[in-house]
Amino acid sequence: MTRIPHETSGEPNPLHALSLDRLRRRTSMKWRAYPDDVLPLWVAEMDVMPAEPVVRALTEALALGDTGYPAGTGYAEALAGFAQKRWGWDGLAVERTAIVPDVMLGVVEMLKLVTGPGDAVVVNSPVYPPFYQFVGHMDRQVIEAPLGADLRIDLDTLEETFRRATQGNRRAAFLLCSPHNPTGTVHTADELAAVAALAERHGIRVVVDEIHAPLTAGGVAFVPYLSVTGGGNGLSLMSASKAWNLAGLKAALAIAGPESAAELDRMPEEVSHGPSHLGIIAHSAALRDGTDWLDALLAGLDDNRRLLADLLSEHLPAITHRPAEATYLAWLDCRALGLGDDAAEIFLHRGRVALNSGIPFGTGGAGHVRLNLATSPELIAEGVRRMAAALD
């Protein structure tokens, strides 16, 4: 796919703003899970300062003492405006949305609406580990439909999995990750329409995690699942948390297509009590006013993808790597290095660099690692240097 560079916004690259010393003062998971001699390039937190509109909105809220319970549809309106401008999608109807605490808790609530205990939930492995954890904890059965060798949805495999999932006329759901984590694959409109057609044929309900939607590489277009032919009975979860690094400010939106509004209406009212009012303020400001910051970030991520490819080619040529079409994550196939199934463990103990092990991502994850690119070029270069040193 031809990659067209992102338009420059005039904003400075957010990935160049912070030194390692300053980052180590943070108390979040990324920077406190390992000793100080470990370089953390793992969990999906970005090494950035917040977008100025987000800081301003939160500062104003605190100055007013506006720290109570959330109310209104401002978040949904901000996301609808962003979707129309960014993706050309005007089908995000505010009246078919509900606030939820975060995307994964929203996924759980949506799956409860369309499946029952013991029913199957299909996932495309390798996939975000909490898919397995949350689905298993809600007494559903995870059934894998592995991605193809090209790291895209294998429609034949998916159809056969749908058949197995619905044996005995059981209800089933497909939990779709779009864009896909960890591979960074962006599903095309044709692929998503084919998924919708298969789901309709087999009576499968589609719940889609679209949290990484704003984080596409240059020249790559994100397509909302609810916008494609046949996608109208799906349920989507979206959030500004990944694209603007707001994971600590909890908020997300559940979105129903025109044919799934009745299901969303059945979601328990108390679910809407979980989101943070300050989180909603922050996310809304990001979507409304933080697009210049986002564009600067996206251009920086494009640079980092190219940098990583060059560094791996020079220092670790045995690693197979396809630059991601979206997300700020890189999925690295380390099997040719002979490090066994858990290459991340070797890189951690020998190289003192923390990456995500591929094993928890399910079938297709063994021998792989996931690397977080949302940091400075200097730290990416240091991370690759440490990985190479682990092989000496």
Side-chain angles (χ1 to χ4, degrees), residues 18-89:
L18 297 170
S19 67
L20 181 57
D21 287 344
R22 190 168 178 188
L23 287 166
R24 289 207 181 277
R25 292 166 56 190
R26 293 187 168 183
T27 60
S28 62
M29 180 186 294
K30 180 179 182 182
W31 290 95
R32 290 303 172 99
Y34 293 97
D36 285 349
D37 67 328
V38 172
L39 181 66
L41 297 177
W42 63 298
V43 72
E45 296 180 22
M46 293 196 286
D47 295 342
V48 295
M49 291 297 291
E52 193 277 334
V54 172
V55 175
R56 184 171 63 246
L58 289 174
T59 301
E60 290 174 356
L62 291 172
L64 288 171
D66 189 9
T67 55
Y69 297 109
T73 58
Y75 190 3
E77 292 163 9
L79 180 56
F82 179 86
Q84 199 284 323
K85 292 175 184 176
R86 208 74 175 185
W87 308 318
W89 180 41

Side-chain angles (χ1 to χ4, degrees), residues 110-132:
M110 298 302 96
L111 289 174
K112 286 179 180 177
L113 296 176
V114 297
T115 63
D119 288 341
V121 176
V122 176
V123 302
N124 295 130
S125 60
V127 74
Y128 184 50
F131 278 20
Y132 297 96

Side-chain angles (χ1 to χ4, degrees), residues 85 92 102 165 178 207 213 251 254 266 271 273 284 286 294 296 319 330 376 385:
K85 292 175 184 176
L92 199 165
D102 59 33
S178 177
V207 176
R266 291 191 289 107
V271 175
H273 296 182
S284 301
L294 176 64
I319 290 180
S376 68
R385 186 196 68 77

Side-chain angles (χ1 to χ4, degrees), residues 297-385:
L297 171 74
L298 295 177
L301 290 175
D302 281 344
D303 291 341
N304 282 2
R305 291 186 191 99
R306 288 188 287 268
L307 172 64
L308 178 66
D310 291 344
L311 289 169
L312 292 176
S313 178
E314 180 179 357
H315 300 289
L316 291 164
I319 290 180
T320 302
H321 164 241
R322 301 182 186 202
E325 297 172 320
T327 79
Y328 48 76
L329 307 166
W331 186 238
L332 310 182
D333 183 348
C334 303
R335 289 174 292 181
L337 297 176
L339 301 179
D341 288 347
D342 195 356
E345 188 72 6
I346 304 298
F347 289 131
L348 175 61
H349 288 289
R350 295 183 188 172
R352 309 307 285 167
V353 56
L355 310 169
N356 287 99
S357 170
I359 295 173
F361 292 82
T363 299
H368 292 69
V369 299
R370 193 188 73 172
L371 184 149
N372 182 342
L373 281 167
T375 190
S376 68
E378 293 78 14
L379 292 189
I380 292 172
E382 175 62 13
V384 172
R385 186 196 68 77

